[in-house]
PDB file of all heavy atoms in Angstrom:
ATOM      1  N   LYS A 843      -5.271  -5.730  -3.245  1.00 95.00           N
ATOM      2  CA  LYS A 843      -5.453  -6.719  -2.182  1.00 95.00           C
ATOM      3  C   LYS A 843      -6.119  -6.051  -0.968  1.00 95.00           C
ATOM      4  O   LYS A 843      -7.084  -6.606  -0.414  1.00 95.00           O
ATOM      5  CB  LYS A 843      -4.114  -7.337  -1.768  1.00 95.00           C
ATOM      6  CG  LYS A 843      -4.267  -8.384  -0.663  1.00 95.00           C
ATOM      7  CD  LYS A 843      -2.926  -9.006  -0.322  1.00 95.00           C
ATOM      8  CE  LYS A 843      -3.111 -10.056   0.804  1.00 95.00           C
ATOM      9  NZ  LYS A 843      -1.816 -10.683   1.163  1.00 95.00           N
ATOM     10  N   ALA A 844      -5.642  -4.880  -0.601  1.00 96.00           N
ATOM     11  CA  ALA A 844      -6.228  -4.179   0.556  1.00 96.00           C
ATOM     12  C   ALA A 844      -7.681  -3.798   0.266  1.00 96.00           C
ATOM     13  O   ALA A 844      -8.560  -3.942   1.131  1.00 96.00           O
ATOM     14  CB  ALA A 844      -5.406  -2.930   0.883  1.00 96.00           C
ATOM     15  N   ALA A 845      -7.933  -3.308  -0.951  1.00 95.00           N
ATOM     16  CA  ALA A 845      -9.289  -2.928  -1.330  1.00 95.00           C
ATOM     17  C   ALA A 845     -10.231  -4.142  -1.318  1.00 95.00           C
ATOM     18  O   ALA A 845     -11.386  -4.040  -0.893  1.00 95.00           O
ATOM     19  CB  ALA A 845      -9.313  -2.268  -2.707  1.00 95.00           C
ATOM     20  N   SER A 846      -9.744  -5.266  -1.769  1.00 94.00           N
ATOM     21  CA  SER A 846     -10.554  -6.492  -1.815  1.00 94.00           C
ATOM     22  C   SER A 846     -10.916  -6.954  -0.406  1.00 94.00           C
ATOM     23  O   SER A 846     -12.071  -7.345  -0.136  1.00 94.00           O
ATOM     24  CB  SER A 846      -9.806  -7.592  -2.544  1.00 94.00           C
ATOM     25  OG  SER A 846     -10.524  -8.792  -2.558  1.00 94.00           O
ATOM     26  N   ILE A 847      -9.958  -6.902   0.506  1.00 95.00           N
ATOM     27  CA  ILE A 847     -10.240  -7.275   1.897  1.00 95.00           C
ATOM     28  C   ILE A 847     -11.286  -6.342   2.493  1.00 95.00           C
ATOM     29  O   ILE A 847     -12.226  -6.783   3.177  1.00 95.00           O
ATOM     30  CB  ILE A 847      -8.940  -7.222   2.729  1.00 95.00           C
ATOM     31  CG1 ILE A 847      -7.973  -8.289   2.247  1.00 95.00           C
ATOM     32  CG2 ILE A 847      -9.256  -7.423   4.226  1.00 95.00           C
ATOM     33  CD1 ILE A 847      -6.595  -8.202   2.875  1.00 95.00           C
ATOM     34  N   LEU A 848     -11.142  -5.041   2.234  1.00 94.00           N
ATOM     35  CA  LEU A 848     -12.101  -4.055   2.761  1.00 94.00           C
ATOM     36  C   LEU A 848     -13.497  -4.328   2.186  1.00 94.00           C
ATOM     37  O   LEU A 848     -14.487  -4.284   2.930  1.00 94.00           O
ATOM     38  CB  LEU A 848     -11.643  -2.654   2.398  1.00 94.00           C
ATOM     39  CG  LEU A 848     -12.402  -1.510   3.053  1.00 94.00           C
ATOM     40  CD1 LEU A 848     -12.045  -1.411   4.522  1.00 94.00           C
ATOM     41  CD2 LEU A 848     -12.101  -0.165   2.368  1.00 94.00           C
ATOM     42  N   GLU A 849     -13.560  -4.609   0.898  1.00 93.00           N
ATOM     43  CA  GLU A 849     -14.858  -4.859   0.258  1.00 93.00           C
ATOM     44  C   GLU A 849     -15.543  -6.091   0.801  1.00 93.00           C
ATOM     45  O   GLU A 849     -16.783  -6.127   0.910  1.00 93.00           O
ATOM     46  CB  GLU A 849     -14.672  -4.970  -1.257  1.00 93.00           C
ATOM     47  CG  GLU A 849     -15.974  -5.100  -2.012  1.00 93.00           C
ATOM     48  CD  GLU A 849     -15.815  -4.793  -3.505  1.00 93.00           C
ATOM     49  OE1 GLU A 849     -14.821  -4.138  -3.876  1.00 93.00           O
ATOM     50  OE2 GLU A 849     -16.697  -5.207  -4.253  1.00 93.00           O
ATOM     51  N   GLN A 850     -14.762  -7.085   1.194  1.00 92.00           N
ATOM     52  CA  GLN A 850     -15.336  -8.326   1.734  1.00 92.00           C
ATOM     53  C   GLN A 850     -15.671  -8.210   3.213  1.00 92.00           C
ATOM     54  O   GLN A 850     -16.154  -9.183   3.806  1.00 92.00           O
ATOM     55  CB  GLN A 850     -14.359  -9.461   1.490  1.00 92.00           C
ATOM     56  CG  GLN A 850     -14.152  -9.783   0.014  1.00 92.00           C
ATOM     57  CD  GLN A 850     -13.017 -10.783  -0.205  1.00 92.00           C
ATOM     58  OE1 GLN A 850     -12.740 -11.600   0.658  1.00 92.00           O
ATOM     59  NE2 GLN A 850     -12.370 -10.685  -1.353  1.00 92.00           N
ATOM     60  N   GLY A 851     -15.419  -7.040   3.802  1.00 92.00           N
ATOM     61  CA  GLY A 851     -15.764  -6.830   5.207  1.00 92.00           C
ATOM     62  C   GLY A 851     -14.711  -7.334   6.158  1.00 92.00           C
ATOM     63  O   GLY A 851     -14.952  -7.429   7.376  1.00 92.00           O
ATOM     64  N   GLY A 852     -13.522  -7.673   5.665  1.00 94.00           N
ATOM     65  CA  GLY A 852     -12.459  -8.178   6.529  1.00 94.00           C
ATOM     66  C   GLY A 852     -11.656  -7.067   7.175  1.00 94.00           C
ATOM     67  O   GLY A 852     -11.904  -5.875   6.963  1.00 94.00           O
ATOM     68  N   ASP A 853     -10.691  -7.451   7.974  1.00 95.00           N
ATOM     69  CA  ASP A 853      -9.814  -6.498   8.657  1.00 95.00           C
ATOM     70  C   ASP A 853      -8.691  -6.114   7.676  1.00 95.00           C
ATOM     71  O   ASP A 853      -7.748  -6.887   7.461  1.00 95.00           O
ATOM     72  CB  ASP A 853      -9.207  -7.131   9.917  1.00 95.00           C
ATOM     73  CG  ASP A 853      -8.333  -6.170  10.700  1.00 95.00           C
ATOM     74  OD1 ASP A 853      -8.145  -5.022  10.230  1.00 95.00           O
ATOM     75  OD2 ASP A 853      -7.821  -6.552  11.778  1.00 95.00           O
ATOM     76  N   ALA A 854      -8.815  -4.926   7.094  1.00 96.00           N
ATOM     77  CA  ALA A 854      -7.864  -4.497   6.067  1.00 96.00           C
ATOM     78  C   ALA A 854      -6.766  -3.599   6.616  1.00 96.00           C
ATOM     79  O   ALA A 854      -5.944  -3.094   5.837  1.00 96.00           O
ATOM     80  CB  ALA A 854      -8.631  -3.751   4.968  1.00 96.00           C
ATOM     81  N   THR A 855      -6.717  -3.405   7.921  1.00 95.00           N
ATOM     82  CA  THR A 855      -5.806  -2.421   8.501  1.00 95.00           C
ATOM     83  C   THR A 855      -4.340  -2.706   8.151  1.00 95.00           C
ATOM     84  O   THR A 855      -3.609  -1.825   7.698  1.00 95.00           O
ATOM     85  CB  THR A 855      -5.970  -2.374  10.033  1.00 95.00           C
ATOM     86  OG1 THR A 855      -7.297  -1.967  10.329  1.00 95.00           O
ATOM     87  CG2 THR A 855      -4.985  -1.374  10.629  1.00 95.00           C
ATOM     88  N   ARG A 856      -3.911  -3.938   8.352  1.00 96.00           N
ATOM     89  CA  ARG A 856      -2.522  -4.281   8.095  1.00 96.00           C
ATOM     90  C   ARG A 856      -2.176  -4.099   6.615  1.00 96.00           C
ATOM     91  O   ARG A 856      -1.177  -3.457   6.273  1.00 96.00           O
ATOM     92  CB  ARG A 856      -2.240  -5.714   8.526  1.00 96.00           C
ATOM     93  CG  ARG A 856      -0.808  -6.190   8.253  1.00 96.00           C
ATOM     94  CD  ARG A 856      -0.595  -7.588   8.812  1.00 96.00           C
ATOM     95  NE  ARG A 856       0.740  -8.073   8.537  1.00 96.00           N
ATOM     96  CZ  ARG A 856       1.122  -8.697   7.407  1.00 96.00           C
ATOM     97  NH1 ARG A 856       0.215  -8.892   6.445  1.00 96.00           N
ATOM     98  NH2 ARG A 856       2.344  -9.111   7.256  1.00 96.00           N
ATOM     99  N   GLN A 857      -3.035  -4.621   5.739  1.00 97.00           N
ATOM    100  CA  GLN A 857      -2.738  -4.555   4.315  1.00 97.00           C
ATOM    101  C   GLN A 857      -2.808  -3.114   3.800  1.00 97.00           C
ATOM    102  O   GLN A 857      -2.043  -2.723   2.923  1.00 97.00           O
ATOM    103  CB  GLN A 857      -3.723  -5.441   3.542  1.00 97.00           C
ATOM    104  CG  GLN A 857      -3.340  -5.637   2.077  1.00 97.00           C
ATOM    105  CD  GLN A 857      -1.999  -6.312   1.884  1.00 97.00           C
ATOM    106  OE1 GLN A 857      -1.638  -7.235   2.657  1.00 97.00           O
ATOM    107  NE2 GLN A 857      -1.236  -5.859   0.908  1.00 97.00           N
ATOM    108  N   ALA A 858      -3.771  -2.337   4.321  1.00 96.00           N
ATOM    109  CA  ALA A 858      -3.882  -0.939   3.898  1.00 96.00           C
ATOM    110  C   ALA A 858      -2.657  -0.146   4.302  1.00 96.00           C
ATOM    111  O   ALA A 858      -2.160   0.693   3.539  1.00 96.00           O
ATOM    112  CB  ALA A 858      -5.163  -0.309   4.503  1.00 96.00           C
ATOM    113  N   GLN A 859      -2.158  -0.392   5.513  1.00 95.00           N
ATOM    114  CA  GLN A 859      -0.945   0.301   5.973  1.00 95.00           C
ATOM    115  C   GLN A 859       0.268  -0.104   5.164  1.00 95.00           C
ATOM    116  O   GLN A 859       1.099   0.724   4.786  1.00 95.00           O
ATOM    117  CB  GLN A 859      -0.711   0.023   7.446  1.00 95.00           C
ATOM    118  CG  GLN A 859       0.525   0.708   8.036  1.00 95.00           C
ATOM    119  CD  GLN A 859       0.432   2.229   7.990  1.00 95.00           C
ATOM    120  OE1 GLN A 859      -0.348   2.819   8.750  1.00 95.00           O
ATOM    121  NE2 GLN A 859       1.196   2.879   7.113  1.00 95.00           N
ATOM    122  N   LEU A 860       0.380  -1.391   4.855  1.00 96.00           N
ATOM    123  CA  LEU A 860       1.511  -1.868   4.042  1.00 96.00           C
ATOM    124  C   LEU A 860       1.462  -1.231   2.649  1.00 96.00           C
ATOM    125  O   LEU A 860       2.501  -0.761   2.150  1.00 96.00           O
ATOM    126  CB  LEU A 860       1.439  -3.397   3.910  1.00 96.00           C
ATOM    127  CG  LEU A 860       1.820  -4.203   5.144  1.00 96.00           C
ATOM    128  CD1 LEU A 860       1.541  -5.693   4.902  1.00 96.00           C
ATOM    129  CD2 LEU A 860       3.256  -3.988   5.551  1.00 96.00           C
ATOM    130  N   ALA A 861       0.276  -1.208   2.043  1.00 97.00           N
ATOM    131  CA  ALA A 861       0.150  -0.619   0.712  1.00 97.00           C
ATOM    132  C   ALA A 861       0.499   0.875   0.752  1.00 97.00           C
ATOM    133  O   ALA A 861       1.203   1.391  -0.121  1.00 97.00           O
ATOM    134  CB  ALA A 861      -1.266  -0.828   0.172  1.00 97.00           C
ATOM    135  N   TYR A 862      -0.034   1.589   1.742  1.00 95.00           N
ATOM    136  CA  TYR A 862       0.182   3.032   1.859  1.00 95.00           C
ATOM    137  C   TYR A 862       1.662   3.341   2.055  1.00 95.00           C
ATOM    138  O   TYR A 862       2.206   4.259   1.427  1.00 95.00           O
ATOM    139  CB  TYR A 862      -0.638   3.563   3.011  1.00 95.00           C
ATOM    140  CG  TYR A 862      -0.523   5.043   3.273  1.00 95.00           C
ATOM    141  CD1 TYR A 862      -0.943   5.975   2.328  1.00 95.00           C
ATOM    142  CD2 TYR A 862      -0.018   5.537   4.484  1.00 95.00           C
ATOM    143  CE1 TYR A 862      -0.847   7.333   2.555  1.00 95.00           C
ATOM    144  CE2 TYR A 862       0.070   6.893   4.724  1.00 95.00           C
ATOM    145  CZ  TYR A 862      -0.331   7.783   3.751  1.00 95.00           C
ATOM    146  OH  TYR A 862      -0.235   9.127   3.998  1.00 95.00           O
ATOM    147  N   THR A 863       2.325   2.595   2.903  1.00 94.00           N
ATOM    148  CA  THR A 863       3.771   2.800   3.159  1.00 94.00           C
ATOM    149  C   THR A 863       4.570   2.477   1.928  1.00 94.00           C
ATOM    150  O   THR A 863       5.466   3.249   1.514  1.00 94.00           O
ATOM    151  CB  THR A 863       4.240   1.947   4.345  1.00 94.00           C
ATOM    152  OG1 THR A 863       3.482   2.299   5.513  1.00 94.00           O
ATOM    153  CG2 THR A 863       5.716   2.181   4.625  1.00 94.00           C
ATOM    154  N   TYR A 864       4.285   1.335   1.324  1.00 96.00           N
ATOM    155  CA  TYR A 864       5.057   0.898   0.131  1.00 96.00           C
ATOM    156  C   TYR A 864       4.859   1.870  -1.020  1.00 96.00           C
ATOM    157  O   TYR A 864       5.824   2.263  -1.700  1.00 96.00           O
ATOM    158  CB  TYR A 864       4.580  -0.501  -0.256  1.00 96.00           C
ATOM    159  CG  TYR A 864       5.456  -1.159  -1.307  1.00 96.00           C
ATOM    160  CD1 TYR A 864       6.634  -1.799  -0.940  1.00 96.00           C
ATOM    161  CD2 TYR A 864       5.119  -1.138  -2.646  1.00 96.00           C
ATOM    162  CE1 TYR A 864       7.437  -2.427  -1.893  1.00 96.00           C
ATOM    163  CE2 TYR A 864       5.911  -1.744  -3.603  1.00 96.00           C
ATOM    164  CZ  TYR A 864       7.071  -2.367  -3.235  1.00 96.00           C
ATOM    165  OH  TYR A 864       7.862  -2.976  -4.179  1.00 96.00           O
ATOM    166  N   CYS A 865       3.597   2.265  -1.256  1.00 97.00           N
ATOM    167  CA  CYS A 865       3.329   3.199  -2.355  1.00 97.00           C
ATOM    168  C   CYS A 865       3.964   4.554  -2.112  1.00 97.00           C
ATOM    169  O   CYS A 865       4.487   5.192  -3.028  1.00 97.00           O
ATOM    170  CB  CYS A 865       1.826   3.331  -2.571  1.00 97.00           C
ATOM    171  SG  CYS A 865       1.022   1.864  -3.236  1.00 97.00           S
ATOM    172  N   GLY A 866       3.916   5.036  -0.869  1.00 94.00           N
ATOM    173  CA  GLY A 866       4.497   6.332  -0.561  1.00 94.00           C
ATOM    174  C   GLY A 866       5.996   6.362  -0.852  1.00 94.00           C
ATOM    175  O   GLY A 866       6.518   7.346  -1.401  1.00 94.00           O
ATOM    176  N   GLU A 867       6.690   5.316  -0.456  1.00 94.00           N
ATOM    177  CA  GLU A 867       8.136   5.267  -0.669  1.00 94.00           C
ATOM    178  C   GLU A 867       8.486   5.140  -2.161  1.00 94.00           C
ATOM    179  O   GLU A 867       9.358   5.845  -2.681  1.00 94.00           O
ATOM    180  CB  GLU A 867       8.735   4.092   0.107  1.00 94.00           C
ATOM    181  CG  GLU A 867       8.661   4.266   1.623  1.00 94.00           C
ATOM    182  CD  GLU A 867       9.171   3.049   2.356  1.00 94.00           C
ATOM    183  OE1 GLU A 867       9.493   2.037   1.684  1.00 94.00           O
ATOM    184  OE2 GLU A 867       9.283   3.118   3.595  1.00 94.00           O
ATOM    185  N   ASN A 868       7.798   4.234  -2.841  1.00 97.00           N
ATOM    186  CA  ASN A 868       8.173   3.956  -4.218  1.00 97.00           C
ATOM    187  C   ASN A 868       7.645   4.989  -5.213  1.00 97.00           C
ATOM    188  O   ASN A 868       8.287   5.260  -6.237  1.00 97.00           O
ATOM    189  CB  ASN A 868       7.719   2.543  -4.611  1.00 97.00           C
ATOM    190  CG  ASN A 868       8.568   1.477  -3.999  1.00 97.00           C
ATOM    191  OD1 ASN A 868       9.692   1.226  -4.436  1.00 97.00           O
ATOM    192  ND2 ASN A 868       8.086   0.861  -2.924  1.00 97.00           N
ATOM    193  N   ALA A 869       6.484   5.581  -4.942  1.00 97.00           N
ATOM    194  CA  ALA A 869       5.989   6.626  -5.830  1.00 97.00           C
ATOM    195  C   ALA A 869       6.931   7.801  -5.820  1.00 97.00           C
ATOM    196  O   ALA A 869       7.203   8.406  -6.883  1.00 97.00           O
ATOM    197  CB  ALA A 869       4.589   7.079  -5.376  1.00 97.00           C
ATOM    198  N   MET A 870       7.488   8.132  -4.667  1.00 96.00           N
ATOM    199  CA  MET A 870       8.421   9.270  -4.612  1.00 96.00           C
ATOM    200  C   MET A 870       9.728   8.911  -5.311  1.00 96.00           C
ATOM    201  O   MET A 870      10.306   9.729  -6.023  1.00 96.00           O
ATOM    202  CB  MET A 870       8.693   9.617  -3.138  1.00 96.00           C
ATOM    203  CG  MET A 870       9.241  11.018  -2.927  1.00 96.00           C
ATOM    204  SD  MET A 870       8.118  12.296  -3.526  1.00 96.00           S
ATOM    205  CE  MET A 870       9.113  13.073  -4.797  1.00 96.00           C
ATOM    206  N   TRP A 871      10.157   7.650  -5.185  1.00 96.00           N
ATOM    207  CA  TRP A 871      11.372   7.217  -5.880  1.00 96.00           C
ATOM    208  C   TRP A 871      11.155   7.287  -7.392  1.00 96.00           C
ATOM    209  O   TRP A 871      12.031   7.753  -8.133  1.00 96.00           O
ATOM    210  CB  TRP A 871      11.743   5.803  -5.464  1.00 96.00           C
ATOM    211  CG  TRP A 871      12.887   5.258  -6.261  1.00 96.00           C
ATOM    212  CD1 TRP A 871      14.216   5.529  -6.062  1.00 96.00           C
ATOM    213  CD2 TRP A 871      12.811   4.362  -7.375  1.00 96.00           C
ATOM    214  NE1 TRP A 871      14.973   4.870  -7.015  1.00 96.00           N
ATOM    215  CE2 TRP A 871      14.158   4.154  -7.813  1.00 96.00           C
ATOM    216  CE3 TRP A 871      11.783   3.747  -8.031  1.00 96.00           C
ATOM    217  CZ2 TRP A 871      14.435   3.321  -8.912  1.00 96.00           C
ATOM    218  CZ3 TRP A 871      12.051   2.912  -9.116  1.00 96.00           C
ATOM    219  CH2 TRP A 871      13.375   2.708  -9.540  1.00 96.00           C
ATOM    220  N   ILE A 872      10.021   6.795  -7.869  1.00 97.00           N
ATOM    221  CA  ILE A 872       9.732   6.809  -9.311  1.00 97.00           C
ATOM    222  C   ILE A 872       9.645   8.221  -9.841  1.00 97.00           C
ATOM    223  O   ILE A 872      10.152   8.536 -10.920  1.00 97.00           O
ATOM    224  CB  ILE A 872       8.415   6.014  -9.584  1.00 97.00           C
ATOM    225  CG1 ILE A 872       8.658   4.536  -9.350  1.00 97.00           C
ATOM    226  CG2 ILE A 872       7.947   6.258 -11.012  1.00 97.00           C
ATOM    227  CD1 ILE A 872       7.394   3.696  -9.387  1.00 97.00           C
ATOM    228  N   ALA A 873       8.993   9.116  -9.092  1.00 96.00           N
ATOM    229  CA  ALA A 873       8.899  10.519  -9.529  1.00 96.00           C
ATOM    230  C   ALA A 873      10.289  11.155  -9.615  1.00 96.00           C
ATOM    231  O   ALA A 873      10.575  11.892 -10.584  1.00 96.00           O
ATOM    232  CB  ALA A 873       8.011  11.296  -8.576  1.00 96.00           C
ATOM    233  N   ASP A 874      11.120  10.868  -8.656  1.00 95.00           N
ATOM    234  CA  ASP A 874      12.491  11.429  -8.666  1.00 95.00           C
ATOM    235  C   ASP A 874      13.290  10.852  -9.828  1.00 95.00           C
ATOM    236  O   ASP A 874      14.012  11.582 -10.521  1.00 95.00           O
ATOM    237  CB  ASP A 874      13.185  11.111  -7.344  1.00 95.00           C
ATOM    238  CG  ASP A 874      14.548  11.736  -7.248  1.00 95.00           C
ATOM    239  OD1 ASP A 874      14.636  12.974  -7.245  1.00 95.00           O
ATOM    240  OD2 ASP A 874      15.543  10.980  -7.181  1.00 95.00           O
ATOM    241  N   GLU A 875      13.152   9.554 -10.053  1.00 94.00           N
ATOM    242  CA  GLU A 875      13.824   8.934 -11.214  1.00 94.00           C
ATOM    243  C   GLU A 875      13.368   9.565 -12.522  1.00 94.00           C
ATOM    244  O   GLU A 875      14.172   9.785 -13.437  1.00 94.00           O
ATOM    245  CB  GLU A 875      13.554   7.421 -11.228  1.00 94.00           C
ATOM    246  CG  GLU A 875      14.301   6.661 -10.180  1.00 94.00           C
ATOM    247  CD  GLU A 875      15.793   6.629 -10.450  1.00 94.00           C
ATOM    248  OE1 GLU A 875      16.234   6.041 -11.446  1.00 94.00           O
ATOM    249  OE2 GLU A 875      16.556   7.224  -9.643  1.00 94.00           O
TER     250      GLU A 875
END
């Protein structure tokens, strides 16, 4: 979703930050699991 907004020239800041934060938290949880 963030990449699509960026590609269309929209303001992707909020979505990019949400994705980055969410992925950072859950990727570490999955790796630990």
Side-chain angles (χ1 to χ4, degrees):
K843 181 178 180 180
S846 178
I847 295 172
L848 190 73
E849 185 162 340
Q850 295 171 29
D853 183 357
T855 299
R856 178 176 179 273
Q857 191 61 39
Q859 180 63 72
L860 287 173
Y862 180 63
T863 301
Y864 190 83
C865 290
E867 293 176 354
N868 285 284
M870 200 61 241
W871 174 79
I872 290 171
D874 184 64
E875 285 292 294

